[in-house]
Amino acid sequence: MKPMSGAEKGKLWGGRFTKAPDPVFDRFSASLRWDVRLLAYDLLIDRAQTKALKACGVLNAREASRLISAIDRIDRDRRAGRLVIDPSAEDVHTLVQNELSRVCGPLADKIHTGRSRNDLVSQSSRLYCKEQAGALYGALTQLMTVIVAAAERYRNVLLPGMTHLQNAQVLHLSHILLSYVEMIDRSREQYVTAVEYADVCVLGSGALAGTTFAIDQRLIARELKLSRVTTNSYDVSGDRDHVLQLVYACALTGTHLSRIAEDLMIGQTRPYGIYDIDASLCTGSSMMPQKKNADSAELIRGASGVLQAQLAGVLSVLKGLPTSYNRDLQWDKSFLFTAVETARDVVEVMTRIFATLRVREERAARLLDDESLYATDLADLLVRKGVPFKDAHRKVGRMVLEAESLGCALSALPAAVTRQIAPEIKPGEMAALFGPERSVRLKRTAGSTHPDRVRREIDRWKQQLRRTSGRV
Ligand code: ARG
């Protein structure tokens, strides 16, 4: 046999090479600097693989137990932060293989029987995605719980709801807060799908065709707590939809939270000022001593751009790629890790913002001075008196215009003007109609801002969050 070439040393694939890799290419090809995050998952896989190899007779009992002890030892060192990571390893899979060789010698060479890095990386990234999707699901549940608590705390606060950033109609602040919960719940749902995509045993697929060894995939699935076994080995090696789905979930979370962050920032601008974001989540200015800026919310808004970029990254790596494994796929993980780590930070910081958010109720009350908030209620009153809605809309529109040009509130329009535009309105009727509590009580539909509905929604969410918290 020819002696081991320089190319073979430390690589999992060197046999047919006589030349060592070009050093610049070698560095370019290496992914350890990011995929080292898969170390714990690779070790879990190696434990399961060892048991499967024993079950099909590739390893005898003694060999299997020596390998398991070696894996346990590496894992103990990893947990204790004692494991010295050899930076020259090509990727995390090579690192683990080399570590195993260091700890238990030539026996380690048997562990890669019936598998390829193609199914290994596919499995390892699935375990990572499953765990992280579950953790993000939990973090979002926590965020939703904190927002529902704020909705409950401020359940009596009314304020102008806006469209186009202009005053529109009176709302319960809780109604707005619960709309955030609805939105976040849609993000949260994406993590359930992410878990589903990841929750499959793909080992035994080998490079693309399966393996000649009778690897018990159900045994591996049980060991790794996975609910099913793949039905197509060729799909496994090139499929990264679990990565795509999780990164999409992160991107959607980012987009949702950035919209909420924007609401918070508008809500705390000085002239408006209904929100007081806790000082521990703000920073100051190096020049202007008075400044207290809501940087936490701004960074969340900005992070949504980072998260979207990761999604675009994974999509572009996959676009037009031939099916099955191609080395391009290695890039997916740098997007995946950035997305997951950024999303985790974003959700945690937002949770802290809501946990400490104070609402300046007196400012909210002052903002309700604007009677144009009742214009729609007034048009509805006219409809109740038999005026077709389009007519009613026009009449109230004219009243608003008159009030604007006279510089007075709607209810202070001269009686003659009101009588001329809308003779259906009886004197005093407007004043009786106008009022924030009245306005919200007039709303009758499901999902409206009627106080009884809002109250019920707070309770429903409290129950639902308790029920769904451990779902994945
Ligand atoms: N580091 C590689 C990746 O992340 C592992 C798989 C390598 N497979 C191969 N056939 N070269 O994709």
Side-chain angles (χ1 to χ4, degrees):
M1 205 177 105
K2 83 178 163 57
M4 204 206 265
S5 73
E8 201 164 349
K9 214 165 133 265
K11 298 286 186 208
L12 300 182
W13 43 263
R16 59 101 61 231
F17 286 81
T18 51
K19 248 182 155 173
D22 173 276
V24 173
F25 167 62
D26 203 33
R27 190 168 47 78
F28 179 60
S29 163
S31 55
L32 184 69
R33 62 193 177 284
W34 62 82
D35 66 20
V36 70
R37 290 168 178 82
L38 297 181
L39 182 55
Y41 306 99
D42 264 40
L43 291 171
L44 283 174
I45 290 170
D46 274 359
R47 249 187 230 114
Q49 168 85 356
T50 303
K51 290 182 187 169
L53 290 177
K54 179 181 156 199
C56 70
V58 172
L59 296 171
N60 64 36
R62 220 182 81 80
E63 288 173 324
S65 86
R66 274 184 59 212
L67 268 173
I68 296 281
S69 322
I71 295 164
D72 287 347
R73 187 168 139 195
I74 297 170
D75 205 25
R76 264 198 314 277
D77 287 352
R78 178 191 69 81
R79 284 172 201 276
R82 277 195 306 261
L83 189 71
V84 184
I85 306 285
D86 169 13
S88 72
E90 181 181 307
D91 57 18
V92 67
H93 322 298
T94 311
L95 177 90
V96 172
Q97 178 69 62
N98 293 347
E99 274 306 307
L100 278 176
S101 300
R102 198 177 53 76
V103 177
C104 64
L107 171 62
D109 294 345
K110 291 195 175 184
I111 195 157
H112 207 55
T113 311
R115 86 179 176 191
S116 149
R117 274 183 299 166
N118 297 358
D119 55 348
L120 178 53
V121 71
S122 186
Q123 189 71 74
S124 195
S125 64
R126 273 168 222 267
L127 294 185
Y128 172 88
C129 286
K130 187 179 167 195
E131 186 162 299
Q132 297 300 328
L136 274 156
Y137 182 96
L140 283 178
T141 307
Q142 182 57 30
L143 170 59
M144 291 158 82
T145 306
V146 166
I147 299 177
V148 171
E152 179 146 57
R153 198 159 55 247
Y154 295 113
R155 65 183 169 280
N156 296 323
V157 177
L158 298 174
L159 80 175
M162 295 200 271
T163 61
H164 311 265
L165 279 184
Q166 307 282 345
N167 276 0
Q169 291 187 280
V170 181
L171 291 181
H172 275 275
L173 172 63
S174 308
H175 196 55
I176 298 180
L177 294 176
L178 290 183
S179 81
Y180 299 162
V181 175
E182 298 271 351
M183 180 162 75
I184 297 168
D185 190 44
R186 292 190 291 271
S187 283
R188 193 174 68 141
E189 206 54 32
Q190 297 307 319
Y191 295 93
V192 179
T193 309
V195 168
E196 259 165 45
Y197 284 2
D199 190 16
V200 47
C201 168
V202 299
L203 288 170
S205 294
L208 76 170
T211 168
T212 56
F213 299 97
I215 304 261
D216 183 347
Q217 292 158 298
R218 293 238 289 283
L219 179 155
I220 295 183
R222 262 195 320 277
E223 289 292 321
L224 297 176
K225 302 186 175 60
L226 299 168
S227 27
R228 60 200 170 88
V229 171
T230 183
T231 42
N232 190 313
S233 63
Y234 180 78
D235 178 47
V236 163
S237 64
D239 166 33
R240 290 295 180 274
D241 288 349
H242 55 291
V243 172
L244 187 58
Q245 175 62 27
L246 179 52
V247 175
Y248 168 65
C250 294
L252 186 66
T253 301
T255 298
H256 285 161
L257 297 196
S258 78
R259 295 185 72 181
I260 297 171
E262 178 64 10
D263 272 16
L264 291 171
M265 276 181 276
I266 293 169
Q268 56 92 54
T269 49
R270 259 314 165 176
Y272 198 68
I274 59 159
Y275 291 140
D276 181 13
I277 296 180
D278 195 71
S280 62
L281 297 157
C282 296
T283 71
S285 154
S286 61
M287 180 167 174
M288 299 169 283
Q290 84 284 13
K291 293 285 269 172
K292 178 188 159 214
N293 301 323
D295 288 22
S296 48
E298 288 171 42
L299 283 164
I300 289 172
R301 189 177 55 184
S304 66
V306 175
L307 289 165
Q308 269 178 43
Q310 309 315 307
L311 177 60
V314 182
L315 284 169
S316 9
V317 164
L318 294 177
K319 183 201 168 295
L321 198 67
T323 54
S324 171
Y325 187 80
N326 297 271
R327 191 64 186 279
D328 318 40
L329 289 173
Q330 176 166 290
W331 292 113
D332 69 340
K333 275 170 257 59
S334 81
F335 298 123
L336 171 64
F337 299 137
T338 306
V340 165
E341 286 164 24
T342 308
R344 253 180 357 214
D345 286 349
V346 159
V347 175
E348 266 177 41
V349 173
M350 191 58 110
T351 305
R352 287 171 141 71
I353 293 181
F354 275 104
T356 55
L357 187 70
R358 278 175 300 274
V359 174
R360 297 199 178 93
E361 302 190 27
E362 69 301 342
R363 276 183 202 244
R366 216 179 308 144
L367 293 169
L368 289 168
D369 276 349
D370 176 6
E371 282 190 355
S372 75
L373 290 165
Y374 310 116
T376 312
D377 295 338
L378 185 56
D380 289 355
L381 176 78
L382 286 172
V383 169
R384 255 178 227 107
K385 290 171 182 287
V387 183
F389 181 74
K390 196 157 175 249
D391 253 6
H393 187 284
R394 204 178 48 238
K395 283 170 192 268
V396 178
R398 279 199 35 219
M399 290 166 71
V400 169
L401 191 67
E402 287 292 337
E404 229 172 65
S405 69
L406 292 171
C408 70
L410 264 181
S411 63
L413 270 177
V417 176
T418 310
R419 209 176 318 117
Q420 200 230 329
I421 301 176
E424 300 82 356
I425 299 173
K426 298 196 191 83
E429 227 173 1
M430 247 200 286
L433 181 70
F434 290 1
E437 274 86 13
R438 182 83 214 278
S439 184
V440 289
R441 287 202 163 274
L442 284 171
K443 307 298 178 291
R444 313 171 67 136
T445 41
S448 75
T449 195
H450 188 288
D452 296 346
R453 302 248 177 210
V454 175
R455 176 72 258 173
R456 245 179 288 154
E457 281 302 295
I458 292 175
D459 292 340
R460 183 179 69 81
W461 273 115
K462 281 187 359 195
Q463 272 180 27
Q464 181 151 330
L465 288 171
R466 240 175 277 130
R467 222 186 32 242
T468 57
S469 68
R471 191 161 152 222
V472 289

